[in-house]
Structure formats: C-alpha cells, structure tokens
Amino acid sequence: MLDTQLVGILEQADRPLGAYEIARRSGWEDAPLTPTQVYRVLERLTRAGKVRRVESLSAYLLAGDTDGGFMVCECCRGVQAFPVGDVIAECDGIYAAARFSVIRLTLEVVGRCAACAKKDDGAAGSVAG
C-alpha cells in the first residue's frame, strides 16, 4: 500500500523529489506519510530497483530503463539519465587491480542543461558593459 502510494507520487512528479516533499505530497491524499515512513519505503523500493537516488540532489525518482549515471542541472534541478556501460567496465578493471571492493557506485555530472545554459547566454548578452 505505502509502496504504491509513494510510486504514484513519484510518477506524477516532473522532477526528483526529496523525502520531505514526498511526505508533503502524500498529505494531499487520504493517508499522509511521515518522513520516517517515506525513508523506509524509499529504502525498500531502492533495494528492489524500482527507485533511484540522485545523490547530488538528495532526491529520488523512479528507476528507468538505464542503470546509468545522471546529468544534473544545478539551475533547474532537471535530471537526465545516460548509459555508462563502457565507463563501468573500465572502472571494474581499475577496482579489481587495486583489490578494491565496491559497495556502491554513483556517477553524476552536475552542470547546466541546454535550456538553462541558453538562458544564461541570453542574460549575459543583454548586460551592458
């Protein structure tokens, strides 16, 4: 029940959501969740591969078709997934050579999306100097 409610909230979101935002949005329904409940459900859904965490935003989104990394716009907080197959394969060799046991790998690139970069370019061009 809680899993379904939380997945529904993430499905309706246009961006990744933090646990407190998910709890707030759950209050719009009949059964509001506490942040503690949200964190427990998010942990369960993440382990099941249904939800992914965007580390740099401390936010969550539904898992898509890719296990890849994320491009995160620092301006609008938009997130795009991208495949990282070759990068991961190369990293695996590096870890093995160092006898390093990986627990979790997170690949996120933070920058500006095309729309935000275009706004910045337009704003910079209109400033009199």
Side-chain angles (χ1 to χ4, degrees):
M1 171 71 181
L2 295 180
D3 293 19
T4 305
Q5 182 182 3
L6 196 140
V7 166
I9 291 168
L10 290 175
E11 282 175 339
Q12 293 174 7
D14 60 350
R15 61 181 169 76
L17 300 176
Y20 283 83
E21 177 66 17
I22 292 169
R24 213 172 7 263
R25 290 183 184 210
S26 75
W28 301 340
E29 299 179 15
D30 292 337
L33 301 171
T34 66
T36 304
Q37 288 175 302
V38 171
Y39 280 116
R40 279 196 296 258
V41 174
L42 285 169
E43 184 179 330
R44 184 171 51 248
L45 291 172
T46 300
R47 279 195 315 261
K50 295 180 180 179
V51 168
R52 291 191 57 201
R53 178 176 162 86
V54 181
E55 297 288 337
S56 58
L57 298 178
S58 297
Y60 298 83
L61 49 73
L62 293 178
D65 295 336
T66 179
D67 289 348
F70 291 124
M71 292 180 283
V72 180
C73 180
E74 68 178 358
C75 219
C76 69
R77 297 177 53 97
V79 175
Q80 276 185 279
F82 64 93
V84 294
D86 293 341
V87 173
I88 298 299
E90 188 164 331
C91 289
D92 286 344
I94 294 168
Y95 308 142
R99 294 185 177 165
F100 185 80
S101 177
V102 176
I103 296 170
R104 178 175 37 127
L105 172 68
T106 303
L107 182 56
E108 293 182 7
V109 180
V110 178
R112 302 254 168 128
C113 68
C116 289
K118 186 175 181 178
K119 286 181 207 172
D120 288 346
D121 290 345
S126 66
V127 175

